[in-house]
């Protein structure tokens, strides 16, 4: 049996009297891309909040790399390598693309045995080497000396992902990485995310676009009204008539 990098078991969460998550369990295997889909209000953001410890769950447990996250603060979770983009990223418009990465070099953590997408970076020369490598992976090397303010929205998204990669995550949580990106660039973002997987990164992302889910994900988990209603290979899950009815309104 393949051990999962992230394991969510029996998670429940209510806000006041409103039960938002009911007994949610899922596994994310290392080195894969897992898509999380579900109608508006089905609990996707709340699940991300619980996983990253922005919210406490009322019941259940989240385990990362074999260790329970109970009781940890969000920054301590991030330090273990479980990182969500909005937590830490901010594109500074008046800095160059390269400078935007180097800002993150100083706070980067070392992770022994990581590949280029999950390795270590300090300040100085090491941080610069890593920044160049990540700009290359994200297709931004040619823009390294441009001001970030001049980037397209999609390029800024790629820069945000590169910033967070400076921190050496082991699992990256992305909330709708394609949102607002024009269709031409969406293909590029898909390719860049796949390139990260090739380098050993593990991704869990909220995504609504069905063709994107088919192209990108190894596994899709469907959340409906706070419960996992399906999970498995994209081809199986996204063609399931129950899923199509709940999610696509068919
Ligand atoms: N802090 C909170 N206090 C009270 N209710 C909340 C809170 N956060 C979320 N909710 C409620 O929980 C439910 C699930 O919300 P959540 O944002 O997790 O869903 P979602 O699947 O991410 O939705 P969307 O696709 O619209 O982002 C909604 O009914 C929402 O109003």
């Amino acid at each position: 049996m393949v051990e999962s990098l992230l394991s969510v078991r029996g998670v429940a969460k209510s806000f006041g009297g409103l039960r938002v998550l009911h007994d949610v369990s899922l596994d994310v295997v290392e080195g894969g891309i897992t898509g999380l889909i579900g109608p508006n209000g089905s609990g996707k953001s709340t699940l991300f909040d619980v996983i990253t410890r922005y919210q406490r769950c009322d019941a259940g447990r989240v385990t990362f790399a074999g260790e329970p996250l109970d009781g940890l603060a969000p920054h301590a979770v991030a330090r273990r390598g479980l990182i969500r983009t909005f937590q830490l990223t901010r594109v500074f418009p008046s800095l160059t693309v390269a400078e935007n990465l180097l800002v993150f070099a100083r706070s980067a953590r070392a992770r022994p045995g990581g590949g280029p997408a999950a390795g270590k970076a300090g300040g100085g020369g090491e941080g610069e080497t890593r920044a160049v490598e990540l700009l290359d992976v994200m297709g931004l090397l040619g823009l390294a000396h441009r001001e970030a303010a001049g980037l397209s929205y999609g390029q800024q998204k790629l820069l945000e992902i590169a910033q967070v990669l400076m921190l050496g995550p082991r699992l990256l949580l992305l909330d709708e990485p394609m949102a607002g990106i024009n269709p031409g660039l969406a293909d590029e973002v898909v390719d860049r995310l796949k390139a990260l997987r090739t380098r050993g990164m593990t991704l869990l992302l909220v995504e609504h676009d069905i063709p994107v889910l088919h192209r990108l994900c190894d596994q899709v988990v469907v959340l409906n009204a706070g419960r996992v209603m399906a999970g498995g290979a994209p081809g199986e899950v996204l063609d399931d008539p129950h899923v199509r009815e709940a999610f696509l309104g068919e």
Side-chain angles (χ1 to χ4, degrees), residues 15 18 20 39-46 55 208:
F15 294 107
L18 179 69
V20 173
N40 290 341
S42 56
K44 303 178 297 295
S45 303
T46 304
Q55 294 278 358
H208 295 294

Side-chain angles (χ1 to χ4, degrees), residues 35-196:
L36 181 65
I37 68 169
N40 290 341
S42 56
K44 303 178 297 295
S45 303
T46 304
L47 182 58
F48 269 25
D49 287 344
V50 165
I51 290 171
T52 52
R53 299 271 316 154
Y54 271 82
Q55 294 278 358
R56 285 183 192 187
C57 50
D58 305 327
R61 168 167 277 198
V62 179
T63 306
F64 179 64
E67 309 248 355
L69 300 180
D70 314 10
L72 293 185
H75 66 86
V77 172
R79 213 177 302 126
R80 290 191 180 192
L82 199 176
I83 299 185
R84 179 179 186 175
T85 36
F86 84 75
Q87 252 170 270
L88 298 150
T89 51
R90 177 164 306 153
V91 171
F92 301 102
S94 61
L95 297 185
T96 67
V97 168
E99 286 164 349
N100 262 283
L101 288 203
L102 293 173
V103 165
F104 284 78
R106 234 168 280 141
S107 54
R109 56 189 272 287
R111 197 169 76 75
K120 56 180 183 172
E126 204 183 334
E128 272 170 36
T129 306
R130 182 154 172 73
V132 167
E133 198 178 10
L134 289 173
L135 288 175
D136 192 26
V137 178
M138 298 316 275
L140 296 170
L141 201 50
L143 302 169
H145 301 294
R146 287 258 202 100
E147 261 192 16
L151 299 184
S152 71
Y153 182 77
Q155 290 166 333
Q156 290 201 19
K157 284 272 173 195
L158 291 171
L159 179 55
E160 279 181 22
I161 295 170
Q163 284 180 316
V164 90
L165 292 170
M166 286 296 284
L167 302 166
R170 195 163 166 193
L171 169 61
L172 196 55
L173 267 52
L174 301 169
D175 203 347
E176 299 194 51
M178 309 294 170
I181 293 180
N182 76 53
L185 242 174
D187 282 350
E188 173 162 7
V189 177
V190 166
D191 290 343
R192 299 295 169 192
L193 294 177
K194 283 178 158 175
L196 291 179

